[in-house]
Amino acid sequence: MATGPLLWLLHGPNLNMLGQREPEVYGSQTLESINAQSVLLAQSLGLRLECFQSNHEGELVDRIQQALNQNVEGFVINPAGFTHTSVALRDALAAVALPFVEVHLSNIHRREPFRSHSYFSDKAEAVVCGMGPLGYESAIRFFHKHLLKPTTPSR
Ligand code: CA2
């Protein structure tokens, strides 16, 4: 059985289209491939990672709430378009009070002005943007190094 602290990687709306549209903005890697790489990286660091994408705000809120019953220790989240609109997702993250790192593939600060505001950044442990899929890797490594308590190996 897989062991180690459990993280959830959450993706917001339209990120299921990665690699199929707008590669000049979001790159050519698919979400499936980003998830697979992230799971492998987490395993190599002794962590467990589960991935979830939804185009629906309520489903993401439900998922965040479920973390409390699932021994989740934190989130890596790209809220996508909800970054700039969702008080509901912000409230859900505040309610569960687990650490999270906010990731954006693109540099939201050099795009349209409305993308510069995030409902999440002031509550996030860290924010990564503009690094493409490398942002997810950085977030997982940051969790491993700075946010998770070391576990004693089982005998
Ligand atoms: O840069 C990011 O990761 C974003 O969170 C992506 C969101 C955007 O609304 C944020 O401002 C920044 C959009 C995700 C849309 O994903 C697509 C993927 C492929 C093709 C079209 C859209």
Side-chain angles (χ1 to χ4, degrees):
M1 200 183 74
T3 54
L6 175 61
L7 297 179
W8 277 2
L9 173 54
L10 303 181
H11 305 281
N14 298 308
L15 288 167
N16 56 310
M17 293 200 301
L18 278 178
Q20 298 163 40
R21 295 275 190 282
E22 298 187 66
E24 67 290 353
V25 184
Y26 299 117
S28 55
Q29 201 170 344
T30 63
L31 189 65
E32 202 174 37
S33 152
I34 289 173
N35 285 342
Q37 270 184 6
S38 300
V39 166
L40 282 179
L41 171 66
Q43 280 172 359
S44 76
L45 297 171
L47 312 177
R48 286 178 297 148
L49 186 80
E50 294 173 355
C51 310
F52 178 74
Q53 187 274 335
S54 178
N55 293 326
H56 306 280
E57 191 175 23
E59 278 188 8
L60 289 161
V61 169
D62 287 345
R63 192 69 175 205
I64 289 166
Q65 292 180 7
Q66 285 160 13
L68 287 179
N69 316 319
Q70 305 285 326
N71 282 323
V72 174
E73 299 203 19
F75 306 101
V76 174
I77 180 166
N78 183 346
F82 292 142
T83 305
H84 321 294
T85 64
S86 184
V87 176
L89 277 179
R90 175 193 169 95
D91 288 348
L93 286 166
V96 300
L98 291 168
F100 70 92
V101 175
E102 176 183 352
V103 174
H104 301 284
L105 293 155
S106 63
N107 180 351
I108 56 175
H109 302 293
R110 71 169 198 198
R111 299 186 62 191
E112 301 96 323
F114 71 84
R115 292 190 201 272
S116 282
H117 176 259
S118 163
Y119 277 96
F120 300 86
S121 299
D122 62 311
K123 297 289 180 193
E125 299 297 327
V127 182
V128 191
C129 78
M131 288 172 51
L134 194 56
Y136 296 104
E137 178 179 336
S138 305
I140 293 163
R141 288 190 185 281
F142 182 72
F143 252 106
H144 176 247
K145 198 160 181 189
H146 295 292
L147 298 179
L148 298 171
K149 288 178 226 88
T151 49
T152 12
S154 54
R155 278 183 275 157

